[in-house]
Amino acid sequence: MDVNKISVIITAHNRKKYILEALSSVINNNLSKDKLEIIIVKNYKDSVIDSEIERLSKQYNIISIIENDFRLGAKISKGVKSSSGDVITFLEDDDIYLPARLSNIFQIFEKDSNIIFYHNMFEIVGDKKINEIVSDYRHNIILACNDKRKIWKQIAKTEAKFNLSSMAIRASVLRSWMDLISRINLAVDNTLFYISLTEKGYLVIDPRIFTKFRVSDKKDCTKNEKELYPFVQSMTKKFY
């Protein structure tokens, strides 16, 4: 399966102060313009932000969409439905891509049509300690094969299920799960990871850092712990 284009879905809800920086980090990636599509899905209009998006749209393939549903899954679903890329990757508005991220993703998916999921490691930006956000595990160099159950423990000892802005997935996989994705808000990154585990194909878990993850403006993960744990537990049971 050839890869002709990557679609980047940038999502934002209410927050405005980082979105142009996030967009700039996508544009400044070293992937050629003809292979890049940018879809911005936000719930607000802003004269300054919208004017800059319109200006950049004359140089880059940018689609801007208003979606008032507060759920992140609804915004992602809207973006996927509007996309035309063969691979879809994500960027929350307060995160940043490093310059080589998209060209690296393009090469990986183009090289092997069996690859359906990719996750790169990330750098923490903000005022919280890393162990408040993620576990002590770090990525190894892993190519997860079709029989993922055999290496489940190895996959679990990575951060592959954490941070939406580090994920990229085959568009064909996402489109078959749109109904589920559109209805979720909590742990969307976890959901996309488990979806990829249930599908046939390889998972690439990359130890290299290609994303900056900003923690200072994100929701405190501990506040959702009671709700998040049963969700992850139920998804794990479904996988097994």
Side-chain angles (χ1 to χ4, degrees), residues 58-92:
K58 296 174 182 177
Q59 305 172 57
Y60 300 91
N61 183 10
I62 301 177
I63 301 169
S64 186
I65 301 169
I66 297 292
E67 174 53 68
N68 291 315
D69 194 318
F70 74 94
R71 291 173 294 187
L72 177 57
K75 289 182 173 62
I76 289 173
S77 178
K78 195 76 170 280
V80 171
K81 289 175 182 177
S82 301
S83 69
S84 59
D86 308 291
V87 174
I88 296 176
T89 188
F90 313 95
L91 183 60
E92 294 193 72

Side-chain angles (χ1 to χ4, degrees), residues 112-161:
D112 191 340
S113 61
N114 292 311
I115 293 170
I116 61 168
F117 175 93
Y118 170 85
H119 188 285
N120 58 261
M121 197 55 194
F122 45 88
E123 173 187 343
I124 296 290
V125 178
D127 56 5
K128 291 186 178 181
K129 294 179 181 179
I130 190 168
N131 61 8
E132 292 181 51
I133 304 300
V134 297
S135 70
D136 293 330
Y137 293 124
R138 293 294 174 270
H139 279 357
N140 297 311
I141 299 173
I142 297 174
L143 177 62
C145 60
N146 274 326
D147 192 358
K148 303 178 190 74
R149 288 169 176 79
K150 288 184 178 180
I151 56 171
W152 166 249
K153 290 183 179 180
Q154 188 181 8
I155 296 173
K157 290 183 179 182
T158 71
E159 298 304 340
K161 58 185 175 294

Side-chain angles (χ1 to χ4, degrees), residues 15-195:
R15 187 170 48 205
K16 301 179 181 180
K17 62 181 177 178
Y18 299 122
I19 190 167
L20 291 180
E21 184 181 2
L23 176 57
S24 178
S25 77
V26 177
I27 288 172
N28 290 330
N29 257 249
N30 54 15
L31 184 68
S32 60
K33 293 180 185 179
D34 62 312
K35 293 180 171 62
L36 175 63
E37 175 184 66
I38 304 169
I39 301 169
I40 301 169
V41 188
K42 53 186 176 62
N43 71 318
Y44 58 80
K45 293 182 180 181
D46 181 277
S47 58
V48 175
I49 293 172
D50 293 341
S51 176
E52 181 63 8
I53 291 172
E54 185 177 358
R55 184 186 71 80
L56 291 170
S57 297
K58 296 174 182 177
Q59 305 172 57
Y60 300 91
N61 183 10
I62 301 177
I63 301 169
S64 186
I65 301 169
I66 297 292
E67 174 53 68
N68 291 315
D69 194 318
F70 74 94
R71 291 173 294 187
L72 177 57
K75 289 182 173 62
I76 289 173
S77 178
K78 195 76 170 280
V80 171
K81 289 175 182 177
S82 301
S83 69
S84 59
D86 308 291
V87 174
I88 296 176
T89 188
F90 313 95
L91 183 60
E92 294 193 72
D93 64 293
D94 58 336
D95 293 339
I96 298 169
Y97 285 168
L98 297 184
R101 183 173 191 266
L102 294 177
S103 59
N104 175 60
I105 290 172
F106 191 93
Q107 292 168 8
I108 285 172
F109 279 88
E110 187 180 44
K111 186 176 181 179
D112 191 340
S113 61
N114 292 311
I115 293 170
I116 61 168
F117 175 93
Y118 170 85
H119 188 285
N120 58 261
M121 197 55 194
F122 45 88
E123 173 187 343
I124 296 290
V125 178
D127 56 5
K128 291 186 178 181
K129 294 179 181 179
I130 190 168
N131 61 8
E132 292 181 51
I133 304 300
V134 297
S135 70
D136 293 330
Y137 293 124
R138 293 294 174 270
H139 279 357
N140 297 311
I141 299 173
I142 297 174
L143 177 62
C145 60
N146 274 326
D147 192 358
K148 303 178 190 74
R149 288 169 176 79
K150 288 184 178 180
I151 56 171
W152 166 249
K153 290 183 179 180
Q154 188 181 8
I155 296 173
K157 290 183 179 182
T158 71
E159 298 304 340
K161 58 185 175 294
F162 181 80
N163 185 18
L164 191 64
S165 300
S166 288
M167 294 181 174
I169 304 176
R170 288 266 178 198
S172 56
V173 171
L174 285 171
R175 291 188 177 116
S176 65
W177 289 85
M178 280 297 91
D179 182 57
L180 170 64
I181 292 170
S182 66
R183 291 184 280 114
I184 60 175
N185 188 52
L186 178 68
V188 176
D189 46 5
N190 277 254
T191 304
L192 297 184
F193 171 73
Y194 284 111
I195 282 171

